[in-house]
Structure formats: structure tokens, C-alpha cells
Amino acid sequence: MYGLKQDWGQRTPPRYFFLEDYVSDVPRWCSGCGDHSVLGALQRLARDEQLAPEKTVVVSGIGCSSRLPHYMKTYGFHGLHGRALPIACGVRSRRPDLDVFVITGDGDCCAIGTGHWIHAIRYNMKMAVMLLDNNIYGLTKKQTSPTTKLKGRSNTHPDGSPLDPINPLSVTLSVANVSFVAQTIDWNPPHLYATLQAAHRHPGFAFVRVLQRCPHYTPEVFEPVQKDRSLVLYLSHKKGIQVDGAVSKLFKNQAEHDPSNLAAARAVAERADAYPIGLLYQKPETPRYDLLSARGLDTPPAARIQAINRLLDSFQI
Amino acid sequence: MYGLKQDWGQRTPPRYFFLEDYVSDVPRWCSGCGDHSVLGALQRLARDEQLAPEKTVVVSGIGCSSRLPHYMKTYGFHGLHGRALPIACGVRSRRPDLDVFVITGDGDCCAIGTGHWIHAIRYNMKMAVMLLDNNIYGLTKKQTSPTTKLKGRSNTHPDGSPLDPINPLSVTLSVANVSFVAQTIDWNPPHLYATLQAAHRHPGFAFVRVLQRCPHYTPEVFEPVQKDRSLVLYLSHKKGIQVDGAVSKLFKNQAEHDPSNLAAARAVAERADAYPIGLLYQKPETPRYDLLSARGLDTPPAARIQAINRLLDSFQI
Amino acid sequence: MELAVAEGLHRIGPEGHLPEHPQPVDQHIVEIVSDSGEGAQTAGQLFGSISARMGNGVWTVEIIPAEIEPPPRSRPGASGNRIRLGRTRVTNSGDTADVMVAFNEQVLFGRIDSGALRPGSRVFMDNKWATDPQPEIRQQYAEALEEFRKRGYLVQEIPLEEECKRLVPDPRRGKNMWTLGLLCSLYQRDMNIAREEVKRVFSKKKTDTLERNWQLVQAGYEWANTHLPLRYQISATPSAEPTVVMNGNQAVALGLMAAGIDVVSMYPITPATSATHYLAGVLERAGGFIHQAEDEIAAVNFAIGASYAGRTAATVTSGPGLALKTEALGLAVMAEIPLVVVVVQRGGPSTGLPTKVEQGDLLASMFGQPGDAPKIVMAPSTIAECFEFMIEARKLAETYRGPVIVLTDANLATGQQPFPRPDVQEKDLAPPIPQSPWPQGQPPYAWDPVTGLSPRPIPGQLNGIHVVTGLAHDEHSHVAYESGTNQRSSVMRSRKLATFFRTLRPPKIYREPEGDLLVVGWGSTRGAIEEAVDRVRDEGKRVSALHLRFLSPLEPGLREIFSRFKKVLTVEINYSDDGRDEAVPPEARRYGQLAWLLRGSTLVDVDCWTRVPGHPLQPSEIENELRRQLDLA
Amino acid sequence: MELAVAEGLHRIGPEGHLPEHPQPVDQHIVEIVSDSGEGAQTAGQLFGSISARMGNGVWTVEIIPAEIEPPPRSRPGASGNRIRLGRTRVTNSGDTADVMVAFNEQVLFGRIDSGALRPGSRVFMDNKWATDPQPEIRQQYAEALEEFRKRGYLVQEIPLEEECKRLVPDPRRGKNMWTLGLLCSLYQRDMNIAREEVKRVFSKKKTDTLERNWQLVQAGYEWANTHLPLRYQISATPSAEPTVVMNGNQAVALGLMAAGIDVVSMYPITPATSATHYLAGVLERAGGFIHQAEDEIAAVNFAIGASYAGRTAATVTSGPGLALKTEALGLAVMAEIPLVVVVVQRGGPSTGLPTKVEQGDLLASMFGQPGDAPKIVMAPSTIAECFEFMIEARKLAETYRGPVIVLTDANLATGQQPFPRPDVQEKDLAPPIPQSPWPQGQPPYAWDPVTGLSPRPIPGQLNGIHVVTGLAHDEHSHVAYESGTNQRSSVMRSRKLATFFRTLRPPKIYREPEGDLLVVGWGSTRGAIEEAVDRVRDEGKRVSALHLRFLSPLEPGLREIFSRFKKVLTVEINYSDDGRDEAVPPEARRYGQLAWLLRGSTLVDVDCWTRVPGHPLQPSEIENELRRQLDLA
Ligand SMILES: Cc1ncc(C[n+]2csc(CCOP(=O)(O)OP(=O)(O)O)c2C)c(N)n1
Ligand SMILES: Cc1ncc(C[n+]2csc(CCOP(=O)(O)OP(=O)(O)O)c2C)c(N)n1
Ligand code: SF4
Ligand code: SF4
Ligand SMILES: [Mg+2]
Ligand SMILES: [Mg+2]
């Protein structure tokens, strides 16, 4: 009907996917842009988890970062500025069989998308959300974003941003039903990878803020952090993000942090001396709206007709 | 020009204002509705502070609560659903001489207005904001709001709300530049009054959540709290909200809370046993965007023309 | 004049010379009005459904105050029901009331303000206020009665409260049923049917609630039998086919279910919300899911996400919500994502008149999006069509791969009408989503160059992988900024409307196919327009009507149809400058929304008569305008 | 054919038979294209301003890649400038380029894809690629040259990199200035002026930067003097009056300042943002404030709040932002709050073509709001008008008490043109806000019954207290649901357009006042349309043009003007179904946006020729269509 096929529920034979199976177009980001790393990590994760490309959906808003779905050879939805999360929630709501990833930017998520961000946290629908935070509006050529540092210069604030930045971690941690909050850096692929993996495996809304280099517009933001490892605080814990010893050893500045402790997570999030990386908070048993929203999916047509007829009965005279 | 008078800056002689000077129409709220109390408190505050009615602007969104400006005999702006804060920020931006109050509801502020709410906190422009939280959409006849309790029944969730409510205090406390957060109850006029007064005197964005009874749709929410005083936790502190000893004595359930302690404020905000009332957090020295936005207001026309001419020079060939 | 104070059963006002024998009437309009909370709405609805079951044509409409809990005894507090009965089908709420039962005089004033009465309207008024303990109230009542009589209403005081007190401790919970009894007597309703209907309404309550209410009905019935010599007789032919009675929002809700809509995503807004209240209680029974989003923008994007993922989705809103959905509807057009958008129109612009009717969102639906965003726009004109159009809209959204906007309004939303029970069929349910492999190499937008149509790959389908985007794109959904691609894809999107157009047939003219005046309408005004046309045509005047269901694209053959009439006039509930207004130069005149479309499309000098009164247009108002137009012609 | 590899100064390609004497031309189009970051834009702009100072007519337009940092040597990476020079005023960017300097062959392919060249276009190409270490690059280059010659371009290789290397270590930072020198020689620019302009651009940099750049210019100039026998001569008359050169977004920004706009509230969006970038740097100098909001909804509501508080406010956006502002614009209409809304149109629908031109937001501006939301819509057609219309719009917004939408587009936004330096006057600044007492008893909407106009009380004014609302309201701003009030206040809001209409005069026809074909346009297409009309009219064909500045209300006298032409055709950069397309039944044809308005308003069978190529319409494209139309007629 309407030109669509109807053989619902057909099984596909087991297949093996190589990295190239997730690689689409040549990315059009600047060289050195942190978005490349995230794309790479996501492709490796998909390969390692053997995600069927046709069962994977990457949703994004608008921004440099939000171009990412175009470079994944999976289903994708490059949506509207700020609206990645409602679109992703809609996708998720009635397709529990799909793996949903969301790519958003600091403008997309923390400016125009703020309302949806807060509410998506509360809905706690299973999806891995990556906020690629370069502290700037990249695509529109360097305007202040809500995470731009105080006095950070941009084309809309040539004399520097007049406001302290929002802390996306703190805000996320303040919302009811928050269930997974992590932070990572684009320039440490193993940590980035391990964080995405944990997010993907989390049974709920997994929010990952990726500190993302934008060499084109904000080299001064993360280049120093990249150079001086002491500006990163590596969070270690047996329930946290696990990376190879060789990798974790690189971080001299470490702290043990129990991700089941919300108050501690909030305190860590606001450390002014260094960027914490790792798992700040996780509560896997948080109620999930997507389990509710998917109810009744298997109602057979006859049962649906019967239900409607019963309702009509109540209007019959 | 364009029919408007231009005698800028005229002084008005000192006047004395009585309560009636702030009383406009007969409010059209249900009897027993907590909105009546807020209106009364605001009118008393205006009288006591001798606010010139023509220098006072009450801005609101849409909802039962947002009808309040119509009942104040001051300037008012009954705006759009969810948009009270951006309108109020616009008013404030270039009129430092006006007193700005904002009335919003739990739907208006915490659902459709979420993004503006978060960002208005960060702007920290001087205004007193009252969130009249009745845990429901009143005006549209009983739909779930973001603060509706888990399992709370409404017309959109006849089997009960599926989600834990958002905690407006926690969220507010998580935003950069938060400078004043308080909570009060509509059914204790002295505490309500003292809280509004503190908010009004605060040099920045003062956010007050008023637990507001809606006897028409959600009597079960605050009637028990009204009856059982132990469900309220009175926050006392020398820097906090001060009420008469006779009033404070009514509250058996008390806790000393230092409003300059942000971490403590967050912990108090999340007390599950009782609703904290009083000042949770205040930091008067937080930078204010409205001080920035009002710069240059007194630039005389000749200086403006000169500045524009200089700019034109740079395009002249 | 001394005031008539009811003392007993036989006191009848001086004007009240009531006929002894049943008076046959073709149609009648009855209103019950009370303070809100006194149950006039329940009584009115019951009276409507009893009459419908007896075979009368019926249209009922709620009288709703703007406030949640308006003060008692206040004009804007009038709450209740208007029931229009007819020998045959009734299509609209009609003109002024023939019979009015008022629980106090102030709410009656409210109805007078709304133009609901005329000299000769018969008013039954609770006489309790005449003996109210408060002297001001007694005085208000007395003065009101005098005023009513001056206005020529036939006022009859009745001992409503007094009689109810005999049966129930709180008469506020009884007057409505007693009034129902009175009306059953007045209109000689079948008391077996009445009993069944009362039972149905109270079926979920305790048994003694039902019994107490039935006693009240009987008491009212018997009192009227004994004390009112007056009877009306409206003959009726009970229909053989099963019939349902519901309002337009319920019909929308059930229609969405019958269409197999899987996800309804909404944000509360009057007057659309009640449709979603109903769905909130029942959609799950048919396996569907309703989502209350954090705002309208989230609501529509959630629906778009669900639809993209292959689930049929709808969003239900009203004007301000439509405004907020503007951007996302552009995305649905650009990315060709099926979506049913129900807009229950209310008074605008801005927050406007939230509870009142208007047909003001037609142009915003068509042209709201920056850039070219062709989409189908349709408007039901009856409650039955509110149901049917949902199925139609869902199919069109899928076939033509984009949003379909269905414009109902506050009049349809709250109006109730009996109609043949729809036959719900499996074939009308959305088919399950395809999950078999997509044809290898077939692009996601394999536009047919002639029709613009293309099949749609759904996540889960092997080989169908693509990235949807709101950017300009080619048939592979690849972002493409080249001139040729942008021109071509724009053609493809527009072409779909032409393709749909070719499946449409010219609309049917109501009454003669030619004449002096053709009245064109759309949406909920149909009944009132056709009734007005009947009245004038029946006098031999050459007037006909045309009602459009599709506004985008417009139905075919309009220019040809218009050419058979001397003059064409739209009648709409939206704003236009009055052609007679001297302050408006003819060149600058702003036309009604449909008139605008018709002028641009047919180049015929289509005139319009439109008003924004906040209530449905009355047939007599339209009738007057038709006469005026015909006199001019 | 052996490839021509530049070995020295006298190597000229086989097609390059260059004339020895300056060749006089009336107008010429020059492009400089490079990878992004190589500075072609600076060079182009300098060439434009030098020429403007010499008294030539000039139009320059940026060539901007869609990506931030596109890969080097890629087609979509073409970055640079087009400069059109003329003896007299130049109104548009013209047809194909006469002279093209390309830093590599791939970016030239990008320009070919955009239709920027024609057989006979003269191409100067850096020859460094012929000796590139990478064999693929050498091959690409060789093949490209062959292809270019096949296409009939007159290719001349030049030792661009080689020459620059003599002067600077990194030729990527030098080629642009060297090229400027070459062009100065080619077009015999006054080197004193050139020096001044170069100095101006580098005035803020270190002195040795200036000197190094000037050396490069001189080197290019001398190289060309010695090695290129070719010269063009475009006579020029330096203007006596002071002249400025800027692009449309800068003109908008300065216009807003000259209008005395106090608050600009925005959210970044291409192609509007650059106007606000400029304001961000300078608005404060004139005492104003610019606010970057969290989204477009906040931006417009912030501006509404500021305007309500008496401060003149504007918001600047593009299509998707306009969509999000839909609801708030309805509020501004309903509550009658002055507001200047600048919409820099880009390709749509949805995210569309963010960097490219379209005139697709006209109907959304007029009809976007649910309900009736009358407002003034105007469109500048030149850079100078971008400036002037801001002052006009601010005044209209105040006089007519509501939002005024000004539609510019990506073409105006980035196009540069010299125009007489505006005389900035105190009387054009917004007056200070009134703070004296409001006339006692005068309602906040004291609508004049004929004009609909009313003065506006501002917070701070004694006696002016009222509560603004988006709900239906009476003249006291009291919420009012009655029929009469809603009808009346709707009339008052609409009436303001009629009042404004009465102040307008019929638009002036370009060329003869009657004929076979009238071309109607609006906005940025004016120059191209009039140039096309000139070309055809100059051959004696009876074609004229009409350009509208006001779209809502439409300017008066159109029907009368149209009646003097056999045929009326709009030319617009937006989508319409092609009248020749057989898949579209004539009845179902969807027209261009202005055509739509004109048809409905005048009932004349206005045809349209519209395209959505993402680039400005070229005069020759329009010219072809005019000829076709005239042949048909
Ligand atoms: C409604 C709307 N407003 C504005 C824009 C313009 N816009 C596109 S991307 C963007 C900001 C991107 O910043 P961010 O989300 O941080 O992504 P980044 O480019 O830095 O990765 C803006 C403002 C738009 N496309 N749509
Ligand atoms: C854009 C828009 N969406 C929806 C509505 C309908 N609406 C009016 S008030 C309201 C919610 C009110 O709830 P709340 O803010 O809690 O105020 P309350 O009535 O409870 O005081 C809604 C959804 C609207 N007016 N505008
Ligand atoms: S501008 Fe910044 S964020 Fe965008 S692609 Fe370049 S480096 Fe990455
Ligand atoms: S519905 Fe509730 S919030 Fe609204 S007026 Fe009544 S009691 Fe107050
Ligand atoms: Mg960013
Ligand atoms: Mg509420």
C-alpha cells in the first residue's frame, strides 16, 4: 500500500561488518577538527559492537558537528537546528529495535535546544548523545555559544563574551531521571572510544560531553588542554570508564570518583582547575520512558479494530 | 514624532500610594486559588516599597497564573506561552529605571519556557521572578506539567504521570550565574511576602518558586502540605528570609541553612521528606547582564550621529 | 408592573398563553444554561442523544465559559448546551433559541449578549431567586424579568430548585436532570429511550446515583405533564442503520485510531486538547502511543522522528501551536516525511480567542513556511468528515510523502451530531512498516519525473541507508547546492500537488448548477451556508452553494463553475475588509482567506462576506447577506 | 596538442592573440578565484573600491564556499570575488565573466559549474601546477587546460606563484596582491588611488605588512605592463559627491543605526549574521545594544519587550529564523508593538541553501501567522535602499504601530556597490521615549476609527497604565471575547494598511509606460531585470519594467498600469511551476510569490518566470525569457 512493502519482521542472515561498512562520504570538516575523531570512534564502536548499519540511526541538529550523520554509512537524520533530541526521541519511541545515536553541538544543544535537552534527560529514552562542545558556533563562522568562556572573543562579541559559560554537565546532573553523564576529549581516541562504548551500552539516555577542538575558530580553547595534560582530571573507578593502563597512565592528574554518587558528580563537574574526564554519574535502573512508549507495538490489526469498535459502541445511540 | 510626546526625563512630584492604587480588576481565579495570595502579596509589597505604579512592569506568559498582570494596576505585559522571560529581559535591557516582576507557571516556565528559563538565570538581569507552581496546567484544564508528581493523574495521563517531576530549584541552582533562589508557599502570607520582598531587593535575577494551591484541579497536591506543617521545612538563617517570630514558630520542622553555600542549597532543594521554604541560595555580587545592556543609554543624538559618520567614513571611497 | 412571583404550579406569566395541543414544528433550538458546575451540559447532551435515538436530526453545541471557575450568577459564566432538533438532518447550530431553560437570570444575560435569543423565544426560569434571602439578588431577578419581558421573550417561571429539594439535599446536583425531564415532556420524548440513555451516562457510577438521577428526570417530566399545557411535536424517523453521536474532537480522535495512527504527539492547547484527552484514555487500547511533549516544537519533531522511523504519526494543535510548528513543517515538506497535522482553529491572531471559532489558519497552513513548501490542506465540514478525513489524510500523507494539514475548528470540535456508525476496516489501518530489503541501488528519493512521487526507505531496511536532511539535496539525499538540483527537486516536491490534483473531481454544486449568486465555503460553515441558501432558493432566488474540501490544491473546475453564476461570494469565519467600507480603497481591500485563493487561482472577481464574531455564523446572518447580494445583483 | 607550459614571460597560449592597443569596453566582469584562505576576496574588494573611486560603476559579489575549510583544489572550494565594472552605474553582477584569474584549475571548474564562464572568457591561470611534484596534479592541470580550451576560453598561463616567491616566502599570502597589480595594469587603474586603498585595508596591520603587500601589487602591475600586451579601457566619471562602498548587510547595519534603533536582538543565522557581526563591533558607539539570544524565539520576544518599554528595536534573521518568529510576530501585530524585522532571504524551504539567494519568504512574511495579522512588508532593491529602508521601516513601525518586515536577500547581503554617502540626520534617529503624563482617560488603543492609528503609552508614563495582551482586547487592552469587540479591533488593525496605502503613489514604470510586455519584480532582481529590459527595448521591442518596494500593502495603480500592457510577467527568484510544463494542469499551476499576490489583487492574468538556482538571475537569462515571451505575444 502506498508503494511500500509489507513483509514485516523478516529476519536477515548473520553478517560481519568491517570498518568500511560504516564509512560514507569524505568528511568536510577542517583538518585537525575534533569531529573527525568522534566520527572515527563511532565507526569503530559500530564495527566492534557489530551494529547492523540498517538498524542504526544517527540523528543530529545543525552545525559543523551535526554534519556527522552524512559520513556514517547508517541511517541518519540531519534535522533542524536545536531539534535533534525530539526527533531522536520520536525515532526511539516506537522502534526499540534500532540503535539511536545523537550528535549535537554546544549551540545546538545548549542554546536553541536547551528545552529539549532538559526534557530528554528526564524522558531517559535509550540513546547515546554526544555533545561536541567546541565552545563556539562553528558552522555559522564564530559566534559566542553558551559554553564560550567569559571574555572569549567571537564575531558577536568582539570584546569577549560578557557571561560565564553554562556548564552542560552541571545542568544535566540537575535534571530528574538523569541516568548517565560522562565527559571525554576528542584527542584521546581510546578514552573517547571507551566513553562512547559505555554510553552505548547504558540502558537509558547517555549524555557524553566531548571537549572538541575547533582549530579553525577556537584553537586557544583546547590546544592548551591538549598540550598540558594536567589540565585534564582523569576520573578512575571500577564502575567508571575503563581504558588501557598505558592510556590511563598518561594522565598524571587523577581522582577516584564513584559514579553512583550524584553529589560527588556535581562537585566534580564544577572543578575549576581541570576538565574531569570519565564517567561522572550513572544510574542504570532509572525508569525509561521508551519502555513505556513502545507498549502495544505488537497489537494485531484485528485487536486494534476490535478496540476501536468497542469505543464506537460507547457513542452509538 | 509619530504622535508621541518627547519631554524626556520629566520628574514627578513625590506621591504616596495606597494598596488600592495597585488594585485593578476583580481576579477571575477560582476561590481558594493560591494565585490570589501572590497577587495580594505583590500588591502589599508594591505599597510598602512605594513603587510608582507607572514605573512597575509585571510580565507574564500564558496560564491561570499568568493572568496576574491584569489584576495589578501597574504596567503589564501578558505575553506568549513560555515567553515571559525573554520579554521581561527585553524590557529590562534598556529601562534600568523600571521595576520588573515576572509571573510564570510550571507549564509556562518548566515546559515550553525551559530554554529561556535556563538562559535568563545565566543573564542574571535584575527582576523578581515568581514561578507559581501548582503541579498542573490549570488554564487548559488539567494536563500533566513537568512538576506533576509521578503517578499524578491528569487529563493527558489518566493513569498517572509516567515520569518523575523536574525539580525547578535543582535545575535553577545548576545554571551559571545563578544568584537568588527561594521557595515559599502561597498559604503563609507573611512568608510569601518576605520572600517576594527579598527577591525584589536582590540585585539580580531572583527566582522564587511559590508552591501554589489549585483547589480546582490538584487539591491533593498541597492541601495535605497545608494541613500537615511538618511537610514543610523552614529554612532559617541570618542571611535568609526573615519573618516574624510568631510566624516562624508555626513551623516545627526547621533547619539552619546558609544561603551562600551552593552545595548545601542543592542538597536542601532535593529533600524528599519536606518542601524547604526560605532562601536557598543568594550571591548578590554575581555579574549582571542588565548593567551591560544599559550602557550608552545617555548617548546624546549628536554623539550618535558623529559615531555613525565615523563609521561611514571608513566606507567612503 | 407587579412582578410575577411563582407561588405554585399554575402561575404563568402574563405573556404565557400556552396552546393546549401539541404544536408541530420542523425544527427547534433548545438551550439549557446554568452556572458552571450545575450540570447543564450533561442534561443537554442527554436530551440530544435521546432525540437522536428517536430519529431526529440533532446538532448540539457546548456553551463554555472562558474562565475555569467563573463566579456564580455572572454573565460570562454561562455554561450549558444548545440542542437543535429537526425532523430531518440538522447541520448546524442554527439561529436564535426557541426554548431556553435558565438556572439564573444572569447567565441568561450572557446568552443575550451572544445573540442567542429573539423576541418570542420561550424562557423557563428558576423562580428561586424571587425569594432569595439577599435583597440585591431579589432585586436583580425582578429587574431582569422585567427586562426580558420588555425584550419580548415569553418568560415562564418554574419552581426548579423547590421541586428538586424534595428529592435531593443539594439541588445544584439535581436541577439538570429535572430540567431534562421537563424537556422530555415538552418534546414528548420516549421515556424508555430516555431511561436507557440516562443509564448509559451513569453506568460507571454507583446504582443509587443512577436511580436518584432518574427520579429527578421523572419528577421533571411529571411536573411538566401536569403543569405545562404546552407540547411541541417534532416527527422523527428512526434510522435503520447504527448511528453514533459525538463531537468533532472525538471524531478526530477515533478517526486517527481508525487510520492506524501509531503515534500522536501533542502539547496542550485549547480547543484541540480535548481530542488528545480522549486519546490519552484510549489510544493504547489500539496499540498506539500518545506523547505529551515539552512544547509544540518538540511535539512536531517527535512526530517527524516517529514517522521517519516508519510509524504513522500525527500532531494535533491550534493556531499558536501551528505557528510554532512552522519550521518543522518545512522540514517535513523538504525531507518528504508523511505527517498528519490536525489544526483545530480558534480565534486569532496571537493568543486571540482561545475557546472560540475562526477559520483563520488557511493561509498560514499553505504559506507559513519560508521558501516553497507545497502540502495538502483539507477541511472537514461535518462531524462524520472529522472522522473520515483522518483516514484520508493518513493515506495522502503516505502517498504524497509529506505533511497533510487538516483544518477543523472550535465549532466542529465541540459540536455533536449523529451520523452513521463508521465501518472500521483493517484495510484503513496503516500497513505494517516494510522491513524487507530495499531495491539495491534505488535512491531514497526515486522521484517519478512526471508525478514527483517516490517510495520511502525505512530504517531497518537493508540497502535503503540514507541520511535525511532539510538542506537542499538530490535523489540520494546528498546535500547538493547546484542550481540544477535545487530547481529539479523543487519541481518534484511541487509536482506532487499537481499529481494529486489530477485525481480530484470538480466539487458538487448544492442546488441548481447556475444562477445569480454562488456562495463558496469551506469547513464548518457548510451546514449554515446551505441552510441559508435553501431558505433563499426556496423563494425562487437563483442562489447556490459550493463547499470545498481541498484547499491545497484547490479542487478542479472552479473557474468553469463560477462562470455559470453572475456573482461568486465566499462566506468565511475570518477577517476581511468590508467591501462597503469607505475607509478602504477598493484596491487595498484585504479579502477573506478562501476568497484570496480563489481570486488568484481563477481570476474571477470573487467577493467575500466574512466575520470574526467568535461564534459560528448563523444561517439567518448568511441569509441576510445573500438577500442583500441578490438585491444588488 | 602539446600543453602550454609557461616558461617565461612571453609564453602566451595559442588562443592568446592579444590586441596591442587598449580595447574600450562599456562594462566588464572580472573574477578572482582561489582556494579559501588565499585572499582572493581581499584583492577583489580592493579592485572594486579602486575602480569605484576612479568613478566607475561597480558591483562586487563574494564567491563563498559552503564549507568552513573546504579541501584545497576542490570545485566546491572556490572562493573569491566577482567585480563588475561599468562606465556608468552597475546594478547587478551581470552574466558571464570577461576576465577570470584562477589560482588553480579546480576552483575554475567550480565557477564553470556555476555558469560563470562563456566561450571567449579570458582566463589567467597560475602555471605552477604544470610543474607540481605530484604527477596526478600535473595531469589534472594538463587535462583541465585542454578542457578549458575546448570550451573556448582564452586561457593564458601566468607565473603567479613563481613571481610571488621572489618577494614573499609563502606565496599563498601574496598571490592575491600580485593579482591585484595585474588587474590594475589590465584595466589601467590609477596607482595613486590603488596605493591609498591598499593602505586603508592594511592600516591596522604593521607597517611592513603594508609595504610587503604594496610591493606585490607593484610587482604584478609591472609584470603585466611588461608581459601583457592586452589592456582594457573603461572610461569613468568620478563623482563629485562623497561616495561609500559597502555590502547590503553593512548597509542594513548602518541603516539601523541611522534610524536610531536602540536594541538589535538576534540569533546567528546565515546569511543575516554578518550584519550583526558588524553591529556587534559598532552599535555601542552610537549608544545602542546588541543582544545575542539563546534562540530566535527569545531574540524576537526580547526585541518585543524592549520595544514595549519604548526602545526602538529590531531583529535580523533569515528563513528558518523567520519561521521560529512566526508566533511572536502575531503578538506584535495583535498588541501593536513596533518592531523592525529584517529577513535576509536564503534558499528554502527548511534549512535549504543557507548561503544562497532566494526570494522565497514573501508569502510567509505576509501570511505566516494563524489568524489575520496585517503588517507592512517592504523590500529594498539596491544597497543604498538597504540603508534607507531601515530608517523608513523604523518610522513606519512606529507610525503604524506594529512589525514591519524588510526582505533583503543573500545577493544584496554580500553584493557591494558604491552609492552616494548618506546624510545622517538627527531627525531620522528615533526620538527619545515619551515620559510625560499620558492624557488622562485616553485608552492605550485610542484607535482613530478611520485610520486605525493610535498613540502608544510607554511604561513610565503616568496615567498610561495598561496591560498589553495577545488575547482579543478592547481599546483599554482589556481582554474581551465579545463578537463586536473582536470584529472592531480586527478592523482597526487591518485599517492601518489601508491608511498607509493611501499615502503611497503608483510606482514608476521603467522605460515606456505601455507596450507588449511588462516585467514586474521586487527586491534584489531589479538591476538584472532593468538591464535585460534595456537590452530588449533598445532593439525596439515594447517591453518595460516595474519594481515594487512595498508588497504589503501593494502599491496603488497596478491594475491600471497592467492594463497598458498586453502581458504582465513577474520575474522572481522563487519557485513556480513552469507554465509550459505539461505535467501540471493549468488550473493547478503554482505561481511565483509576487505573481500570486498580483493575480489575487488585480485579477489580471499575471504570468511569471521564476527560478531557484541559488545564484542571482543573470540579465541574459531574463533577456532570453523576455524574447521568448515577446515572440509568443
Ligand atoms: C533555526 C536556525 N537558526 C539558526 C541557524 C544557523 N545555525 C546553523 S548551525 C548554528 C550553530 C552551530 O553551533 P554548534 O551547535 O555549536 O555546532 P558547531 O558548528 O560548533 O559544531 C547556527 C546558529 C539555523 N540553521 N537554524
Ligand atoms: C503556544 C501555546 N501553546 C499552548 C497554549 C495553551 N496553554 C495556555 S496556558 C497553558 C499551560 C498553563 O500551565 P501553567 O503554566 O502551569 O499555568 P497555570 O494555568 O497552571 O497557572 C497552555 C498549554 C498556548 N496558549 N500557547
Ligand atoms: S570550523 Fe571548527 S568545528 Fe567546524 S569543521 Fe572547522 S574546526 Fe571543525
Ligand atoms: S484552575 Fe487552579 S490555578 Fe487555575 S484559577 Fe482555578 S484554582 Fe487557580
Ligand atoms: Mg559548537
Ligand atoms: Mg501550573
Side-chain angles (χ1 to χ4, degrees), chain A residues 29 35 61-67 80-83 104-110 112 131-141 143 145-147 212 214, chain C residues 327, chain D residues 68 267-270 273 295-296 317-322 324 346 351 354:
Chain A
W29 294 303
D35 294 349
I62 304 284
C64 288
S65 38
S66 289
R67 279 296 190 105
L80 293 175
H81 189 39
R83 319 304 172 191
T104 178
D106 43 322
D108 203 56
C109 178
C110 308
I112 192 167
L131 164 58
L132 306 200
D133 189 351
N134 55 1
N135 288 201
I136 203 77
Y137 287 7
L139 190 70
T140 41
K141 307 193 169 173
Q143 295 85 23
S145 100
T147 61
Q212 177 240 313
C214 169
Chain C
E327 189 195 17
Chain D
I68 304 287
Y267 185 75
I269 189 162
T270 308
T273 322
D295 63 17
E296 281 91 349
T317 192
S318 187
L322 176 63
L324 288 169
R346 65 191 225 180
T351 314

Side-chain angles (χ1 to χ4, degrees), chain C residues 185-202:
Chain C
S185 160
L186 198 59
Y187 290 94
Q188 307 186 321
R189 304 290 84 179
D190 178 331
M191 289 305 273
N192 289 325
I193 294 181
R195 163 96 198 167
E196 279 171 35
E197 288 298 306
V198 170
K199 197 166 160 184
R200 201 157 64 130
V201 165
F202 295 99

